[in-house]
């Protein structure tokens, strides 16, 4: 290679992603990193390997296919591999999965990830929601101490639907009715002072006590102090469950009453809205996936592509409470 070409070549190194730099090092060392995803999948599956049909662990090796070891169940005769029964089953291009996991951790859009990996945008979209199928379920089991709860509303979106259930509107438009209406989707967010966060979609109507009993009751300690705004549903929920409750009157300008405030959860709302704006509209039916994705990033639960791939296969990192 001529010196001028070499200089032009090395100037592009700064634009390489972390994953691409590792690939470059592996190439120079004569090793193959394209099999890294397959090797990680095999290692992750070993501890719980069993027949997905009958759950028997009496299995034996049954050849290779698509860079993965296949197995045959002795009692029922079914064959399977480490991906059978997981969200990533039947997907191709395993060599790109770690790179795509990096794209998720960087909050890349569907098209940006597709362009970076050289795949079709539909493939990028399919992979996004397959990767988030199990990862989004890795949530705090319980909220402790002072817990703030507040709801936020997003305009309902039928993005990607073939047949709309309402008149079409320009993306990023406004509701036809003023205030809270059936055109908006309610997201309940509860967050304790350690940063543990629960976010769930409650529906297209104003928040009710019944929805709080369904979404909030299973994930809180009974000895918490629930801090909310003046919404009547929270007071009714607290009376029925017997938990301590304190409300701040935001409309009257009372935002803090001693240690009681909802600024922590409102800050999370702000970060969530800003992050969702990256994607230029999120379909309502996929909102739970995005809420789980945001929790992964905000809590820094998953920091590497390898950990995200393992979480997609059901091997979650240990949940720690600070």
């Amino acid at each position: 290679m001529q010196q001028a070409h070499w200089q032009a070549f090395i100037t592009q190194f700064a634009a390489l992603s972390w994953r691409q730099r590792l690939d470059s090092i592996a190439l120079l060392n004569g090793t193959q990193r394209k099999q890294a995803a397959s090797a990680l999948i095999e290692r992750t599956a070993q501890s719980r390997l069993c027949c997905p049909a009958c759950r028997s662990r009496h299995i034996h090796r049954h050849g290779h296919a698509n860079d993965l070891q296949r197995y045959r169940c002795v009692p029922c005769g079914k064959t399977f591999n480490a991906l059978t029964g997981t969200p990533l089953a039947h997907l191709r291009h395993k060599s790109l999965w770690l790179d795509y996991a990096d794209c998720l951790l960087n909050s890349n859009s569907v098209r940006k990830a597709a362009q970076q990996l050289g795949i079709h945008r539909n493939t990028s979209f399919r992979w996004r929601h397959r990767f988030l199928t199990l990862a989004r379920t890795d949530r705090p089991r319980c909220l402790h101490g002072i817990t703030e709860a507040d709801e936020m509303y997003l305009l309902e979106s039928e993005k990607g639907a073939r047949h709309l259930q309402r008149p079409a509107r320009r993306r990023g438009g406004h509701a036809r009715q003023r205030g809270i209406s059936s055109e908006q989707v309610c997201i309940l967010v509860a967050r304790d002072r350690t940063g543990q966060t629960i976010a769930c979609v409650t529906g297209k109507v104003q928040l009710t006590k019944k929805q709080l009993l369904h979404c909030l009751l299973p994930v809180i300690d009974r000895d918490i102090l629930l801090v909310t705004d003046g919404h009547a549903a929270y007071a009714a929920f607290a009376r029925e469950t017997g938990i301590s409750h304190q409300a701040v009157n935001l409309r009257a300008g009372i935002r803090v009453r001693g240690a009681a405030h909802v600024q922590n959860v409102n800050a999370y709302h702000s970060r969530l809205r800003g992050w969702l704006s990256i994607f230029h509209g999120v379909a309502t039916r996929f909102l739970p996936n995005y809420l789980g994705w945001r929790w992964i990033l905000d809590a820094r639960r998953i920091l590497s592509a390898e950990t995200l791939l393992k979480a997609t296969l059901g091997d979650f990192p240990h949940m720690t409470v600070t």
Side-chain angles (χ1 to χ4, degrees):
M1 178 181 291
Q2 297 180 1
Q3 185 65 22
H5 294 165
W6 167 249
Q7 292 296 332
F9 178 70
I10 62 175
T11 56
Q12 302 179 46
F13 286 2
L16 294 178
S17 67
W18 175 77
R19 178 73 47 193
Q20 290 168 336
R21 295 185 186 199
L22 290 182
D23 288 338
S24 301
I25 294 173
L27 182 62
L28 292 174
N29 291 334
T31 58
Q32 293 292 329
R33 293 197 69 258
K34 291 188 175 182
Q35 306 302 321
S38 298
L40 181 61
I41 292 167
E42 296 282 14
R43 290 197 305 271
T44 303
Q46 286 302 316
S47 60
R48 61 182 191 280
L49 198 61
C50 64
C51 175
C54 67
R55 314 308 300 177
S56 171
R57 301 185 71 90
H58 188 192
I59 59 178
H60 60 74
R61 298 175 183 272
H62 194 66
H64 286 79
N66 301 318
D67 299 326
L68 290 178
Q69 174 71 53
R70 290 198 65 83
Y71 302 90
R72 184 177 183 274
C73 176
V74 174
C76 71
K78 299 287 186 180
T79 61
F80 60 94
N81 63 22
L83 289 178
T84 303
T86 71
L88 300 181
H90 309 297
L91 294 183
R92 300 182 180 181
H93 307 300
K94 285 185 283 294
S95 61
L96 298 177
W97 286 358
L98 290 174
D99 293 320
Y100 190 78
D102 275 330
C103 292
L104 288 178
L105 296 177
N106 292 328
S107 299
N108 289 352
S109 66
V110 166
R111 285 176 170 79
K112 183 176 181 180
Q115 183 179 14
Q116 184 172 328
L117 271 64
I119 58 178
H120 195 273
R121 63 179 182 276
N122 291 351
T123 300
S124 177
F125 179 81
R126 186 183 308 111
W127 285 7
R128 169 183 289 183
H129 294 289
R130 292 285 193 95
F131 268 80
L132 296 174
T133 299
L134 289 182
R136 71 184 178 93
T137 65
D138 183 33
R139 314 303 293 278
R141 296 183 179 180
C142 196
L143 304 181
H144 310 273
I146 300 176
T147 298
E148 304 171 22
D150 198 8
E151 70 280 5
M152 60 178 285
Y153 291 87
L154 297 177
L155 201 60
E156 183 194 17
S157 172
E158 296 184 42
K159 183 178 179 180
R162 293 181 180 273
H163 304 286
L164 298 182
Q165 302 299 317
R166 53 164 175 75
R169 64 167 177 265
R170 188 180 298 275
R171 186 180 302 169
H174 302 281
R176 297 175 182 270
Q177 305 176 47
R178 295 183 61 184
I180 299 173
S181 67
S182 59
E183 297 179 77
Q184 296 170 316
V185 179
C186 177
I187 299 175
L188 172 67
V189 178
R191 183 177 174 91
D192 66 20
R193 295 295 169 84
T194 67
Q196 306 300 306
T197 306
I198 297 292
C200 58
V201 180
T202 62
K204 293 196 296 182
V205 295
Q206 285 207 27
L207 190 66
T208 64
K209 180 187 71 173
K210 182 178 180 181
Q211 292 169 341
L212 288 172
L213 290 171
H214 175 73
C215 298
L216 198 56
L217 184 61
V219 295
I220 59 173
D221 274 345
R222 296 305 177 92
D223 60 350
I224 70 166
L225 172 62
L226 181 64
V227 182
T228 69
D229 59 14
H231 198 299
Y234 295 112
F237 167 75
R239 285 194 301 268
E240 181 163 327
T241 57
I243 65 174
S244 301
H245 173 242
Q246 189 167 353
V248 292
N249 193 344
L250 298 179
R251 292 186 177 182
I254 303 174
R255 298 184 176 274
V256 180
R257 302 178 68 178
H261 60 77
V262 291
Q263 296 177 359
N264 193 11
V265 71
N266 286 338
Y268 189 86
H269 286 172
S270 179
R271 293 196 299 273
L272 178 59
R273 287 184 186 276
W275 179 74
L276 288 175
S277 66
I278 297 173
F279 308 108
H280 304 290
V282 172
T284 298
R285 66 182 184 276
F286 292 126
L287 262 181
N289 285 0
Y290 285 86
L291 295 179
W293 185 4
R294 181 60 211 173
W295 157 247
I296 289 171
L297 299 176
D298 192 79
R300 299 181 64 81
R301 289 280 295 126
I302 296 176
L303 299 176
S304 68
E306 289 79 7
T307 307
L308 179 54
L309 180 56
K310 292 170 65 176
T312 306
L313 300 174
D315 184 8
F316 297 105
H318 179 65
M319 175 71 74
T320 57
V321 179
T322 57

